[in-house]
Amino acid sequence: HGDYAFASPDDNQTQAEARKELGLPEGRPVILAFGALRAYKGLTELIDALPDIVDRVPGAVCVIAGKPVGVDPESYRAQATSRGVADRLILHDRYVPFEEISTYFVAADVAAFPYRNIAQSGALQLAYACSKPVVVTAVGALPETVDHGKNGLVIPPFDHDALVTAIETILTMDPEDRERMGQRSRELADEEHSWADAARSTVGLYQELLQT
């Protein structure tokens, strides 16, 4: 994936305005899982972690937004209810139009990608374009994309405690430090994941193969 700078937010939109537009509570830590709802994205693991996250970060809510693909969103609601966090899960199970994408990221404090398996993630590049810190699992090429400790945290897949701790770490850090992590995400988008960078890497690979 190249960068998704074309989806970057309007600098005039504040977090409070974004949350009001989406009907989200004000003054609460917000975790965002964005993109098509698919089984491999580990959303059940995220919901399972939510009670422990709420214990450590009172007031935290989790927003899951995207069109269901091969999953039943009612199962996520049922899981949240069974875990006692139905009031902490905000599920927008619908296709999100392009013009609304940045609003979700502006509203969030951290973007979570607890994938079970993946090669790369366009949704991760959306988080970078929107200057958000991230939590990702070490699957596919995701670890190569994240500057661990600088713009996000990389954790093992299927590791409940690591997921809880990583999200807690970002939600409870000094807001200025969290903002710096988000700024580093945008730097990565601009400096390492631009479409020009992708083109140069692709051309370089073909040149190398042609010389062998």
Side-chain angles (χ1 to χ4, degrees):
H1 288 280
D3 74 90
Y4 280 56
F6 52 84
S8 59
D10 176 357
D11 291 337
N12 294 322
Q13 186 180 45
T14 67
Q15 188 175 73
E17 290 169 341
R19 292 184 177 185
K20 182 178 181 179
E21 183 174 333
L22 296 173
L24 304 181
E26 295 185 20
R28 305 274 289 275
V30 174
I31 307 153
L32 174 66
F34 186 89
L37 311 185
R38 300 177 186 267
Y40 70 78
K41 293 192 173 181
L43 298 176
T44 56
E45 284 84 357
L46 180 58
I47 296 170
D48 192 52
L50 194 52
D52 289 334
I53 294 171
V54 170
D55 283 345
R56 300 186 190 185
V57 189
V61 297
C62 179
V63 177
I64 296 177
K67 179 181 177 180
V69 179
V71 299
D72 180 2
E74 291 305 318
S75 68
Y76 298 144
R77 293 187 175 94
Q79 181 187 0
T81 298
S82 69
R83 299 287 284 123
V85 288
D87 62 332
R88 301 306 182 95
L89 175 65
I90 301 169
L91 182 59
H92 291 183
D93 50 329
R94 63 183 180 90
Y95 172 76
V96 178
F98 175 79
E99 58 272 15
E100 295 181 24
I101 290 174
S102 65
T103 300
Y104 278 90
F105 284 96
V106 172
D109 293 301
V110 60
F113 302 89
Y115 291 174
R116 299 172 179 176
N117 56 76
I118 193 67
Q120 260 298 351
S121 169
L124 179 62
Q125 288 302 325
L126 284 171
Y128 283 14
C130 296
S131 305
K132 287 298 164 180
V134 298
V135 171
V136 307
T137 45
V139 295
L142 293 188
E144 302 171 23
T145 312
V146 178
D147 188 358
H148 179 70
K150 298 295 181 61
N151 84 298
L153 299 173
V154 180
I155 61 172
F158 301 104
D159 190 325
H160 176 94
D161 291 340
L163 179 59
V164 172
T165 299
I167 291 176
E168 175 198 11
T169 297
I170 293 179
L171 290 182
T172 59
M173 66 174 46
D174 185 283
E176 292 185 358
D177 291 335
R178 188 165 55 244
E179 183 177 355
R180 276 191 287 270
M181 291 188 82
Q183 290 171 347
R184 178 57 181 153
S185 288
R186 183 54 195 257
E187 289 173 1
L188 289 174
D190 293 339
E191 299 171 2
E192 297 187 20
H193 302 296
S194 71
W195 290 105
D197 291 326
R200 280 191 292 269
S201 297
T202 302
V203 170
L205 175 60
Y206 278 112
Q207 289 175 335
E208 180 181 343
L209 293 173
L210 288 170
Q211 292 171 2
T212 59

